[in-house]
Amino acid sequence: MEMPTRIQKPRKPIYPYFYLLPGLTAILFSIIIPGAMTIYYAFTNYSLRHLQDWGWIGWENFEKIFVGSNRGEFLGVFSWNMQWALISTIGSALVGLILAMLLNNKRVVERNFYRVLLILPWALPSTITILTWKGLFNSSFGPINRMLGSIGIAAIPWLSNSTWARATCLLVNIWIGYPFMMSAFLGGLQSIPEELYDACQVDGANGWQAFRHITLPMLRSIVLPLLVSGFAMNFGNFGVIYLLTEGGPFKSPSVLAGATDLLSTYMYKVAFGATNFDYGLASANGLLIFLIVGSLTLINLSMTGAFQEVKE
Amino acid sequence: MFTKSQWLRLAIISVLIMGLVAGCTNKEEVKTTEEAQVEQKEPATLNVWILDRVGTDAMAAVSDVIQAWAAETGNTVNITEGNQFEMLNNIPVAIPAGEGPDVFMTVNNYVGGHYLGGLIVPIQDSFTDADSYIPGALDAFTVDGQLLGVPVAADVNALVYNKAKVAEAPATMQELISVSKELTKGDEYGLLYQIDSFWYSYPFFSAHGGYIFKWTGSGWDTSDLGLNTSEGIAGLQYIRDMVTVENLMPADTTWEVMNAYFTEGKSAMIITSPTMIPSFKEAGIEVGVAPIPTIEGVGTPKPFATYTGFSVSAYSKYQEEAIDLVQYIGANSGKPLYEANSGNIPVYSSVLNDSALSSDVELAAWMSQLANSDPLPNIDAMNYVWTPVTTAFQTVVHGEANAATALAEAQELILQSLQGITQ
């Protein structure tokens, strides 16, 4: 009889890499090289002033962002950016959840009709809807203030007062963001077996208890990844602010940032505002945003366990 | 680790990759020798970029002018059309990489930056046509005494009025304000424009003697700011008074509101650029154009003007031909550009003598406003001006700050930022 051969460690074959080569090449050229170049440029003075003689300048770009000629505007913008991302994400999730539960109620006969209406903000091109909101919210000419005026409410400075402008921007962003959350929740709600609710009724639970102990836990695995990625997406939002307020209204003393400027619109002004092309500074800003979003996402993921595989 | 056949595969792949890399470098070598040969031959091949800024029809018109030059001189021209912002964003990257144009359409506020970056060349030494341009047009392309481009069209704001409501344009601002007050009632306005905007309200600021940077005759003096001066403060107060004292219009009138109200016939006079005129006419408004009237006892309002023109790349191998081409475009494209799109105000003075245009009263009005205008500073220091000055204008017009404090703060911030970038 032969000696039982030792179980060989399975060899790592090379050919899978060969099959992966096209994909890996694409990743190399579209993600790894540009990413590495951004990190490199962040430490250089590559800009319109130094197109030929650009070189390594160490941490100077980061100094400029935190203390230098931009006078620490970054921190103010950053704190508003955090509030913006948090409120937008939670707000659109809440609105989405409430609407999804209403639509999921079988006693609402015409719910398909409502569903179409409610999904519209998602279906319409946001460039157009944002500009429409801008017109609606104008405090002297906008229909919203005219309507309020006709019932005796004084004109609200929707976009011209910095606190109101922030609230208005959030409102518009939540309006744009809720249909996605709503559809996701609706899918989640429909996958919860009816029997659970029947059993729960038999046990004498009230509506809130059913929501708290059945609906919420069952939705958890759907909601958490959405919240985490929604936060990351809202954090880097550009279009809403750029189109709605262009970062304004402006308050003294501001060198570049207005009251509603987010990091992305601020970075755009720093790097490409007017005719200033400061690629180095823009890369430094981009790197910072990447680090912030990246680390916040990591923290979110580990705290919520959103993307953990379900253990058997 | 690897079996024999796997090593073989790896070897084949690496040979393939090396071949690919080698192939690339070979190609480049071949290209440069080809280029060297071309250089010895006489007819040049120029790459020209033109921008949608002038309008689609006008892009075709200027292409015809460029091709006419090519036919006359026997050179070849390759024209690329594109979006203004995309193309101008590509210039600083494409030109040093050798993929840029020899000649490109540009806007005067870009030339300062392009010159700093060594992207474009001064052309005054071989420029023979300087007297043919209206005053100010060439200044707009001048930085440190160097002429960096040839203007082909201008854009400026002037007074646009509805003839059904105001038969004649007012001769003075005093008259304009009293006419405007009579017409303002309910949801109708006499004068209506984006009054809290630095861009649109600048004419009244400049009429009082306010300015951003001092023009020295050959360039901008960035250490001499004209915001926090008694003239500048008086200018901003005048603008605020139109809202708070004369009640002509709400402080937060936007550009969209202005256009909508003028199109619906609900405002008699607006301050705008020639681009919007065709759509007003389409809506059935009887449009009149006039220079912004002078403020009696104070001065003449001077709006900002921006100029579209052509610059020559510093990396072009055909400098002589390129400069010849931009001069040719400057001298020949004024009329076709204007005829294709009336937003392009000609800057070549003989164009107005053309029989087809000499009776064009609107054009005459735009050009007389252009004669009373300040070129938008063409240096990159402007990047640090917009936000502080916008802040000052917005807060003062909205009644949140007084003019003296707001302008002092703005000036201080701008000077601080400029110290930061010029090190």
Side-chain angles (χ1 to χ4, degrees):
Chain A
M1 229 184 106
E2 274 181 76
M3 286 276 289
T5 45
R6 253 185 339 136
I7 298 170
Q8 267 192 335
K9 247 172 115 187
R11 266 203 215 103
K12 278 190 185 154
I14 189 176
Y15 52 85
Y17 296 102
F18 183 65
Y19 299 135
L20 284 174
L21 197 62
L24 289 177
T25 321
I27 289 176
L28 180 73
F29 283 103
S30 64
I31 296 176
I32 296 176
I33 292 181
M37 294 304 275
T38 307
I39 297 174
Y40 176 59
Y41 287 146
F43 295 94
T44 68
N45 60 355
Y46 186 28
S47 66
L48 199 52
R49 281 172 180 268
H50 302 279
L51 279 178
Q52 279 100 40
D53 59 339
W54 59 279
W56 188 266
I57 54 164
W59 294 95
E60 215 172 277
N61 284 326
F62 295 92
E63 262 172 50
K64 232 185 238 176
I65 294 170
F66 288 114
V67 283
S69 61
N70 293 331
R71 306 219 313 170
E73 279 192 321
F74 183 87
L75 292 177
V77 175
F78 173 70
S79 107
W80 154 238
N81 205 141
M82 282 293 285
Q83 301 168 27
W84 157 271
L86 269 177
I87 300 177
S88 298
T89 314
I90 295 174
S92 51
L94 267 183
V95 175
L97 177 62
I98 293 169
L99 291 173
M101 287 178 63
L102 291 176
L103 286 181
N104 199 42
N105 191 330
K106 293 208 166 55
R107 276 171 292 188
V108 183
V109 188
E110 65 280 23
R111 59 201 177 115
N112 280 336
F113 174 68
Y114 291 142
R115 180 149 44 178
V116 172
L117 277 191
L118 286 169
I119 217 98
L120 272 183
W122 193 16
L124 295 170
S126 61
T127 323
I128 293 167
T129 53
I130 293 168
L131 289 175
T132 311
W133 278 115
K134 185 183 174 182
L136 291 175
F137 276 122
N138 184 289
S139 37
S140 307
F141 299 93
I144 294 180
N145 267 359
R146 296 231 159 138
M147 250 153 54
L148 292 177
S150 67
I151 55 169
I153 297 175
I156 295 173
W158 294 108
L159 291 169
S160 47
N161 166 291
S162 24
T163 318
W164 274 106
R166 286 182 172 186
T168 310
C169 289
L170 281 168
L171 200 70
V172 172
N173 196 38
I174 290 173
W175 181 85
I176 292 174
Y178 84 81
F180 175 71
M181 292 290 186
M182 187 186 76
S183 345
F185 281 127
L186 209 51
L189 287 173
Q190 279 159 359
S191 70
I192 302 176
E194 275 304 306
E195 294 80 19
L196 288 178
Y197 291 104
D198 296 341
C200 150
Q201 246 178 343
V202 171
D203 288 343
N206 62 23
W208 166 249
Q209 283 168 325
F211 174 76
R212 170 74 189 76
H213 296 287
I214 298 176
T215 316
L216 269 191
M218 297 293 280
L219 283 178
R220 201 184 115 96
S221 63
I222 295 174
V223 183
L224 287 179
L226 285 183
L227 287 183
V228 173
S229 54
F231 180 86
M233 266 168 62
N234 279 320
F235 200 91
N237 191 301
F238 181 85
V240 175
I241 299 297
Y242 190 73
L243 292 171
L244 201 58
T245 64
E246 290 168 40
F250 295 96
K251 247 166 87 178
S252 189
S254 43
V255 180
L256 287 173
T260 56
D261 258 321
L262 297 175
L263 287 175
S264 58
T265 58
Y266 176 65
M267 179 177 87
Y268 182 81
K269 285 184 188 172
V270 169
F272 302 110
T275 55
N276 184 42
F277 294 88
D278 199 335
Y279 304 118
L281 191 57
S283 302
N285 265 302
L287 191 57
L288 277 176
I289 295 183
F290 166 72
L291 289 177
I292 294 166
V293 175
S295 48
L296 285 176
T297 309
L298 274 184
I299 294 171
N300 281 340
L301 288 179
S302 63
M303 270 170 53
T304 58
F307 284 113
Q308 269 168 19
E309 279 180 54
V310 181
K311 288 191 183 103
E312 294 287 317
Chain B
M1 207 173 103
F2 293 150
T3 65
K4 234 184 223 168
S5 64
Q6 277 168 346
W7 276 117
L8 192 65
R9 284 196 194 105
L10 192 66
I12 292 172
I13 293 167
S14 26
V15 168
L16 282 176
I17 291 174
M18 275 157 66
L20 202 69
V21 173
C24 291
T25 42
N26 274 347
K27 227 187 266 169
E28 244 163 56
E29 272 165 32
V30 171
K31 210 170 137 197
T32 42
T33 48
E34 263 176 9
E35 278 163 3
Q37 282 168 356
V38 169
E39 221 169 354
Q40 288 156 5
K41 280 190 257 163
E42 247 332 295
T45 304
L46 295 182
N47 291 313
V48 180
W49 286 8
I50 57 179
L51 316 175
D52 60 358
R53 173 184 170 81
V54 290
T56 320
D57 297 339
M59 280 204 286
V62 79
S63 299
D64 291 345
V65 173
I66 293 168
Q67 293 300 356
W69 174 83
E72 265 179 42
T73 58
N75 296 312
T76 314
V77 179
N78 298 320
I79 297 173
T80 314
E81 297 182 354
N83 171 266
Q84 172 184 351
F85 299 103
E86 261 171 46
M87 299 288 252
L88 285 174
N89 278 345
N90 281 342
I91 289 286
V93 182
I95 287 187
E99 289 159 14
D102 299 278
V103 166
F104 62 97
M105 189 186 277
T106 184
V107 188
N108 71 300
N109 51 330
Y110 280 83
V111 298
H114 286 168
Y115 182 54
L116 263 182
L119 297 171
I120 55 179
V121 286
I123 57 173
Q124 69 273 10
D125 293 342
S126 25
F127 191 71
T128 51
D129 216 7
D131 297 333
S132 311
Y133 290 85
I134 62 167
L138 292 177
D139 286 349
F141 284 89
T142 304
V143 174
D144 295 338
Q146 313 279 351
L147 180 63
L148 297 167
V150 175
V152 292
D155 188 36
V156 75
N157 290 323
L159 186 74
V160 172
Y161 59 98
N162 183 340
K163 283 181 179 166
K165 300 195 149 214
V166 187
E168 286 269 313
T172 63
M173 270 310 286
Q174 282 85 345
E175 194 187 325
L176 186 145
I177 289 175
S178 71
V179 170
S180 183
K181 273 168 148 175
E182 275 169 39
L183 290 166
T184 303
K185 47 182 173 279
D187 202 22
E188 299 210 356
Y189 296 89
L191 178 67
L192 188 72
Y193 77 99
Q194 195 180 348
I195 193 163
D196 69 351
S197 138
F198 171 57
W199 176 261
Y200 286 100
S201 279
Y202 176 79
F204 305 111
F205 181 71
S206 62
H208 285 80
Y211 55 92
I212 304 175
F213 300 124
K214 193 82 184 167
W215 174 253
T216 60
S218 63
W220 300 97
D221 181 357
T222 53
S223 61
D224 182 350
L225 267 74
L227 299 170
N228 187 20
T229 57
S230 56
E231 293 87 2
I233 294 167
L236 186 49
Q237 276 166 347
Y238 181 85
I239 297 161
R240 182 205 56 199
D241 287 350
M242 284 201 273
V243 174
T244 55
V245 179
E246 315 284 1
N247 285 314
L248 296 188
M249 70 199 96
D252 62 348
T253 308
T254 61
W255 184 81
E256 290 88 352
V257 166
M258 172 186 84
N259 287 323
Y261 273 58
F262 193 73
T263 311
E264 291 164 21
K266 290 201 283 190
S267 78
M269 296 172 279
I270 59 175
I271 291 175
T272 192
S273 67
T275 5
M276 292 301 292
I277 303 293
S279 71
F280 296 146
K281 286 183 177 162
E282 247 169 65
I285 302 288
E286 243 189 292
V287 182
V289 181
I292 302 171
T294 123
I295 309 175
E296 234 175 345
V298 175
T300 308
K302 289 181 172 181
F304 279 125
T306 56
Y307 294 84
T308 307
F310 281 86
S311 288
V312 174
S313 160
Y315 290 66
S316 169
K317 292 194 299 288
Y318 307 106
Q319 296 289 339
E320 219 175 288
E321 289 87 350
I323 294 176
D324 187 48
L325 172 60
V326 292
Q327 287 208 60
Y328 184 90
I329 301 174
N332 294 290
S333 60
K335 191 184 166 203
L337 270 173
Y338 176 72
E339 282 175 340
N341 186 320
S342 53
N344 302 310
I345 308 167
V347 292
Y348 201 71
S349 29
S350 63
V351 170
L352 252 193
N353 304 334
D354 190 288
S355 56
L357 299 181
S358 57
S359 57
D360 188 335
V361 286
E362 266 173 41
L363 180 61
W366 291 115
M367 290 191 73
S368 91
Q369 182 68 77
L370 203 55
N372 272 317
S373 68
D374 284 344
L376 181 67
N378 53 16
I379 45 178
D380 67 342
M382 271 308 278
N383 197 34
Y384 296 92
V385 170
W386 291 112
T387 302
V389 174
T390 303
T391 308
F393 271 58
Q394 265 189 15
T395 49
V396 170
V397 172
H398 287 258
E400 291 158 14
N402 78 54
T405 339
L407 287 171
E409 279 175 357
Q411 178 149 337
E412 181 63 30
L413 273 177
I414 295 168
L415 287 172
Q416 272 175 11
S417 311
L418 291 181
Q419 269 170 6
I421 57 159
T422 44
Q423 17 159 293

